[in-house]
Amino acid sequence: MLVVTHDTQLANNDMMQRLAPECRIADTSWIKPGKVAWDWWNDWNLKGVPFKAGINMDTYKYYIDFAAEHGIEYVILDEGWAVNLQADMMQVIPEIDLQELVDYGKSKNVGIILWAGYWAFARDMENVVKHYSDMGVKGFKVDFLDRDDQEMVNFVYKASEVCAKYKMLVDFHGVFKPTGLQRTYPNVLN
């Protein structure tokens, strides 16, 4: 229970953070928070470009160029980069050469973060994280957690740990309220 003099003090309370387990990552120097250019937010809706905007190389290179020009550290490839309805994150759509995008981003000092549905990510987590870490991807945005039962709490901690093992950032979308996880795993950026 928290005791405060004014209700406005509740918003600034850091009790959850301070009571969470201490950081489990020995070297955190690789963790680089930053801004993100997010294709889904714009619905891949680019105007006045010499290509058909969508989930394709030209669009993502455009986003990478935009991010580089404006000091944005990352680009998220949201839903659509992996083959739809397969729950297999190792199947990239033919319109995307992921290694080329990662290399292109790296040449412009822009990291790539991949969207992942919870179920597909959880199915083969260790292999998926290792594979994309080896490729140079900087992290994952894991989506559709949508509940706060013990199984999901366990998943969030396991995913944070596995991502940390491979020096990957993670952003949980649709996750339960803050519990201090970021103290334990500062590679969790939300």
Side-chain angles (χ1 to χ4, degrees), residues 14 23 38-39 58 64 96 104 108 111 123 152 161:
D14 66 350
C23 182
W38 184 25
D39 55 6
D58 289 333
I64 291 168
I96 299 289
Y104 186 74
K108 303 229 174 209
R123 280 184 57 203
M152 195 54 65
E161 177 184 21

Side-chain angles (χ1 to χ4, degrees), residues 118 144-157 174-177 179:
Y118 152 72
F144 297 117
L145 283 73
D146 297 337
R147 59 186 215 254
D148 62 357
D149 58 13
Q150 190 61 54
E151 180 182 336
M152 195 54 65
V153 171
N154 292 345
F155 165 77
V156 165
Y157 273 85
V175 72
F176 47 84
K177 64 186 176 193
T179 61

